[in-house]
Amino acid sequence: MTATLDAAGSGCPGPVEPPVLLVLVSRYRYLDADSIARLQSAAPLIMQDLPGRSRAVSGCVVLSTCNRFEIYCEIAPAPEAGKACADALEAVSSCSRLPLATLRALFECRIGPAVAEHLFGVACGLDSLVIGEREITGQIRRALAAAQAAGTVTGLLIRLLQGALRTAKDVGTRARLGGAGTSVASVAINLAVSRLSPLMLSDLSVVVIGSGSYAACIMSLLARGRCSNVTVFSRSGRTAAFAAAHAVAAVTEAELQAAIGQANVVIGCSGNGSRIGTSVMARQQKDPKPLVALDLAPNRDFDPDVGELAGVDLITLEAVRLAAPQTDSAQIQLARMLIRDSACRFYEQESLRTIDAAIIALRHHLHQALEREMENVRKRNGASTSAEETARVLRRFVRQVLHTLSVRAREMAAAGRRDEYMAALEALFGISVHLAQPAGVPNALEQ
């Protein structure tokens, strides 16, 4: 497992000090189908288990998609980063029942500015099978909603994911990555239709294997292409409800082979680890019509031998990647520049946000000192005009002092010198500022 504990290589100009963020990024290509299925099914458990397991982790969001598994955390100060990584891996192991040794080889740990730059790139589709694909933004929204429902998200993580979505929108407008509406699913369906020319999508009979969010995306694309002859099958137990929601037919496992026998296209997007074999996919007719099997699950929904069957054309994710529109290298370079700039702005804003706690503490300190002085004046002079004039002068003095100190605080925070400012507060005034907030506690400035 690799850990990046500083801002080196993040692309941020100057020593911008980041908030404390950590991400564990998986590399699916090293996992077998069963392990991927275990990770994906354990995602909700991991999200709930980790903050309670680790004193170094105050909140987390799990981004689980068809080809990635990432855990975003807000953690205690950087010296605790190693413990936070270890605790996160133990939570994954406990919830997925995968060995720690396997997980240490699978996950890369990134800390600091690299976290925002990585997520912003993911949200823009730069790390996707199809460059510039748009499905990932919906997956990020769902991950955030799940963490909010589970109560595991913090204000910092909310701002991180929302920043990623804004960056994706900005990059999508300013850089030409792929084509409009391009996604893995759209490229795959277009590829399948091309293999069945001269038939159009609206002419096809389609069986969809799966009933999750990815299957819902497939259904939306089929409906948009006016494909009305659609059947769905799932082992999840949600087949009937899913089919009803999308106004399509549902089949049981006993009926699946017959449905496939009448289909032009079978789309596998369940990723549950159970593969459909040759016995189900074999064409029974004497002169069978061609069948395209689209395998869109990274852990494979179809046995590889299906591709050897007569009349069956098996299309894998690798074939989809090769069929995807090519993106000009200059546009990718532009996108990366926009992502770096956005990540740097995010950390600058977070540095300014954290210094607000020091400003609030200083304001409270000076106002308390003012109240003590005003009370002394009142005791000496009663309610005389002189006392009120003294109070007016003191209030004006405090405003002037606070203005200078507040401006200087933000300047030092943006320059990565936040700790120097807070050390000066403690040295000069005896004020100790605790910046960390428990998960779910709103910032005082937001109230």
Side-chain angles (χ1 to χ4, degrees):
M1 181 176 66
T2 305
T4 304
L5 300 179
D6 55 39
S10 69
C12 291
V16 178
E17 183 177 1
V20 188
L21 288 167
L22 173 148
V23 61
L24 276 82
V25 181
S26 67
R27 291 166 281 197
Y28 263 7
R29 63 184 179 274
Y30 297 132
L31 275 187
D32 56 63
D34 178 64
S35 297
I36 292 175
R38 285 194 194 184
L39 268 184
Q40 291 178 331
S41 63
L45 299 175
I46 294 167
M47 193 163 52
Q48 293 178 341
D49 179 80
L50 179 53
R53 174 186 295 270
S54 175
R55 63 178 176 80
V57 176
S58 56
C60 70
V61 177
V62 177
L63 178 60
S64 176
T65 76
C66 63
N67 66 342
R68 70 176 63 252
F69 190 91
E70 301 180 351
I71 306 172
Y72 291 86
C73 301
E74 180 178 351
I75 65 171
E80 294 286 345
K83 176 167 178 50
C85 283
D87 290 345
L89 289 177
E90 287 180 4
V92 175
S93 178
S94 173
C95 296
S96 68
R97 292 174 295 170
L98 291 172
L100 266 176
T102 298
L103 297 174
R104 290 191 185 103
L106 172 67
F107 281 95
E108 176 185 353
C109 182
R110 302 178 187 181
I111 298 165
V115 175
E117 191 165 336
H118 169 77
L119 177 59
F120 291 7
V122 167
C124 294
L126 286 188
D127 285 353
S128 297
L129 194 71
V130 173
I131 299 296
E133 62 97 358
R134 310 297 172 83
E135 291 168 359
I136 186 63
T137 56
Q139 293 164 335
I140 290 173
R141 287 191 185 93
R142 288 192 289 274
L144 176 56
Q148 288 175 314
T152 64
V153 72
T154 64
L156 174 57
L157 289 170
I158 290 174
R159 294 190 296 274
L160 174 70
L161 272 69
Q162 289 177 339
L165 295 171
R166 285 193 299 272
T167 300
K169 184 176 181 180
D170 181 47
V171 171
T173 301
R174 299 171 63 183
R176 295 185 300 277
L177 299 176
T182 300
S183 66
V184 174
S186 65
V187 171
I189 289 174
N190 289 339
L191 182 58
V193 173
S194 72
R195 300 280 179 91
L196 294 167
S197 180
L199 294 176
M200 307 288 287
L201 181 56
S202 57
D203 302 322
L204 302 181
S205 172
V206 179
V207 175
V208 175
I209 312 296
S211 58
S213 58
Y214 200 27
C217 174
I218 297 288
M219 291 294 185
S220 177
L221 290 171
L222 294 175
R224 201 177 307 160
R226 301 182 181 232
C227 180
S228 57
N229 190 359
V230 181
T231 301
V232 64
F233 166 75
S234 174
R235 294 186 176 89
S236 68
R238 298 190 300 267
T239 307
F242 182 86
H246 294 276
V248 299
V251 295
T252 65
E253 189 158 10
E255 300 166 327
L256 179 60
Q257 184 174 3
I260 291 174
Q262 299 301 313
N264 303 107
V265 181
V266 183
I267 304 175
C269 52
S270 71
N272 64 9
S274 298
R275 293 185 177 181
I276 296 174
T278 55
S279 61
V280 176
M281 296 292 293
R283 313 305 271 163
Q284 303 299 322
Q285 302 96 324
K286 184 176 180 181
D287 187 18
K289 61 183 177 181
L291 174 67
V292 173
L294 273 180
D295 200 341
L296 302 184
N299 53 338
R300 299 292 188 92
D301 271 350
F302 298 99
D303 191 290
D305 290 343
V306 165
E308 304 300 322
L309 292 172
V312 178
D313 187 355
L314 178 62
I315 297 177
T316 64
L317 283 172
E318 177 60 18
V320 174
R321 184 186 68 80
L322 294 174
Q326 297 301 303
T327 300
D328 184 86
S329 60
Q331 294 300 311
I332 294 177
Q333 189 174 13
L334 171 61
R336 292 198 184 281
M337 181 192 72
L338 295 172
I339 289 165
R340 282 195 299 270
D341 289 348
S342 183
C344 289
R345 285 195 302 273
F346 170 79
Y347 277 99
E348 288 171 357
Q349 291 165 1
E350 288 303 317
S351 293
L352 295 179
R353 180 181 289 271
T354 57
I355 205 65
D356 285 338
I359 294 171
I360 291 171
L362 176 61
R363 182 181 293 119
H364 180 70
H365 173 82
L366 290 178
H367 277 294
Q368 278 191 325
L370 171 62
E371 287 299 327
R372 286 194 296 269
E373 290 303 318
M374 289 176 63
E375 181 63 24
N376 290 336
V377 170
R378 283 191 289 268
K379 285 180 179 178
R380 288 195 300 268
N381 301 323
S384 68
T385 303
S386 176
E388 294 301 317
E389 176 66 17
T390 300
R392 186 180 66 80
V393 170
L394 288 173
R395 288 193 184 95
R396 187 172 65 246
F397 166 76
V398 169
R399 284 196 299 271
Q400 291 171 349
V401 172
L402 284 175
H403 174 75
T404 301
L405 292 174
S406 299
V407 169
R408 185 62 179 145
R410 290 188 168 88
E411 289 174 349
M412 293 183 72
R417 299 173 60 196
R418 181 191 66 187
D419 289 345
E420 292 180 36
Y421 185 89
M422 290 188 290
L425 285 186
E426 183 156 7
L428 294 174
F429 300 106
I431 299 173
S432 180
V433 182
H434 302 286
L435 296 179
Q437 300 184 82
V441 177
N443 190 310
L445 296 180
E446 298 175 347
Q447 297 184 18

